[in-house]
Amino acid sequence: MADLRTNFLGIKSPNPFWLASAPPTDKKYNVERAYRAGWGGVVWKTLGEDPAVVNVNGPRYGAIHAGDRRLAGLNNIELITDRPLELNLREIAEVKKAWPDRALVVSLMVPCEELNWKSIIARVEETGADGLELNFGCPHGMSERGMGSAVGQVPEYIEMVARWCKQATRMPVIVKLTPNITDIRYPARAARKGGADAVSLINTINSIVAVDLDSFAPVPTIDGKGSHGGYCGPAVKPIALNMVAEIARDPETMGMPISGIGGIETWRDAAEYIALGCGTVQVCTAVMTYGFKIVEEMIDGMKKYMDGHGFATIEDFRGLAVKNLSDWKYLNLNYIAKAKINQDLCIKCGRCHIACEDTSHQAITHMVDGIRHFEVKDEECVGCNLCVNVCPVEDCITMEAMAPGSVDPRTGKVVPAQYANWTTHPNNPSAVAAE
Amino acid sequence: MPDISAGRLAAADYGKNFSDVHPPLTAHEAVVESDRCYFCFDAPCTIACPTSIDIPLFIRKIGTGNVEGAAETIFSANILGGMCARVCPTETLCEEACVRNAAEEKPVRIGLLQRHATDHYLERHSAFGLRAPATGRKVAVVGAGPAGLACAHELALKGHDVTIFEARGKAGGLNEFGIAAYKATDDFAQREVDFVLGIGGITVEAGKALGRDFTLADLKASHDAVFLGLGLQAVNALGVEGEETAGVVDAVRWIEDLRQSPDKSGIEVGARIVVIGGGMTAVDAAIQAKKLGADEVTIAYRRGPAEMGASRYEQELAQVNGVRILHWVAPKRIVSEGNAVAAVDFERTALDVSGRLTGTGRSVRLPADQVMKAIGQTFVSGPVESGETVALDGGRIAVDAELRTSLAGVWAGGDCIRGGEDLTVQAVDHGKRAALSIHAALSA
């Protein structure tokens, strides 16, 4: 049976499933419930300086739903912990003592002065916590006060604060990155230059989830007004995966430990982050939707997946997808695929046809000999995969690679066996001669 | 002459009529259905399940592609989860409790999802669970029905050695002999028995009956604990004139013959059948009689639809299969012609002002070639009332909250105890809980 035990920066946990710094980790009561449910670790909700911040007293969350009201994305305008620092520190010490086998990392956010950071770190040291996570990510509220993403958007600040913190503590330091930037590699590189041991990402994305069309105010609405919030949940996973991938393959940050965050709900989501190099993953929205118990599914599903692939530990497959991350220009232009519709599985809804007919390459029939019938016309199909994505039946439409040597009916040309990419393509004005 | 004969159908129709009543979900259907589960907290479905299967968790596992893990969640609570998925009246258990009923009157199809997961597992594994190190303790289980099998599996898991004594020629109990054939196709009951026994440490001694081949005292002397999962051995009598007439059959026995017959065309069935009773046995007998080619099948029940032991869903299944259900009639006399049954005379019933069932004096005669008695089964207490005895309560074995009988070292569960409900899933729960109590006692 697969062993899920994880050692991330020397912080050990029975599994790689941590809870992200967020409402679920705001106090001892919740954290202990999470540990009892089986979570391997938590990042305690961000501590700040006293006097504690205050939250709005109206709605803090807004959501978008997929069909059947499945929560797809959540937006929040909650700030860092609004409880006194002393209370949080006392509870952190109690929890760490009671749960020595679980990871307990403390998230911090204070004004951008060295003394402020060093003072609070000294307090956290006394709790026995395993590590620090510097919150340079929150995009709402705190950023207006020069903290959170206001720091995370300036690489020089990240490097500076990371350095202060590393000098001030025995604990590993994780820098939590904001996705509200144009190129995630810059803040990640800055974190590494500042001496940070790891990065965690993503924090939430600037967002307005909805506009109330009666009051003409953004949602969530506080007395007729709304403010942008931070967006998270299943819908952000692709954005987060890309940012993790960028850091994992950037020569300047390659190999730096990463804790992956963003839309993780199932073992499969977590495994994808690990395949991109993450040593742990952090979850928030999924537990806010379904409760802590989902970790049972994640643990069992991950073990089954690993057993099925012969992976004894997380390290056996961590980062295996990194080598397959590529720039577009290096993708093989001689790889030719065609969509194929399994007629036994097809329920004849016509979505593949209309997607292709209206918006793509007119490569799928809808009527053959007077009968409703959906079939790919190989002579028109460019292999774009749109039909696969809009089909409501999984595995009904698949992409089949053409064997080298066969003739592509669309171009009339033989499918070459050798790899060739854009850099050498005759249409590329800057093509280099093939060697 | 009454019209009773075998082979009323064309050969091909038997296979069609006795195929799966609820075909399994395809992989696509299972994923779509799993997506409907809300993963409720303290889920009402789990509370409604006598074996407390963690239903939201197993459904979530199906949704994430971990069908094997889903089955493990089921089997860890209910080792007969495969049969329960087929025979449980889910419409009065988990699916009745599903919160989707409140919103759209359409529960998640939990039974079929459970079948999806357990079928997947049984196709790939010959057993479930790893035995704890051997304890050297021996437990006797009497009866290889759902209660006995569940008890034996749990005890084997804990490292005890178990011998099951079964009066019949093979294990399975009601799952093998009593359930309608179209609910457990492809010899599923025996496949499940093999799966349960696959864990090891369980020996089945078939053809050994308590009271005939051994006594309770014998078992106590040779084992560290005893579990009685005896089931019910006799059927209630109608207590009306003509009950012994040829053509009046015991529905339980008739279903048993049907289940044990590999060739359904050999089963004799009347052209016009009256089934007397209102429980699952009545429905199973009536539907199967219809499926064997009977022309007219009537279930006659002395009260109304709400009082029937068969669920509303089962009643509708009978009606969809062409069975007529006649309510508010009580049998008065079997009418014979020559030496065979010709009709049943009923008196119409009603509730009087105090709510008691009374006859109205109005009668109705139903012509019949065959009459099936399905008015309940009774516990035969003789074997546990001689030598070392266990106390009874209401004609069945009395037990405490841990399924302990009045006799030290003897536990009991399933239909033979007070409160037994003629439900596979409840018997499994009894067997499992008794095993945990036995284990605790043996570990003390």
Side-chain angles (χ1 to χ4, degrees), chain A residues 121 162 415 426:
Chain A
I121 286 173
V415 178

Side-chain angles (χ1 to χ4, degrees), chain A residues 68 70 293 297 300 304, chain B residues 35 54 61 64 72 100:
Chain A
D68 202 15
R70 176 168 288 253
K293 192 179 148 176
E297 179 281 317
D300 187 54
K304 291 286 191 308
Chain B
D35 209 38
D54 192 337
K61 287 182 177 181
T64 63
E72 289 172 359
R100 287 265 186 185

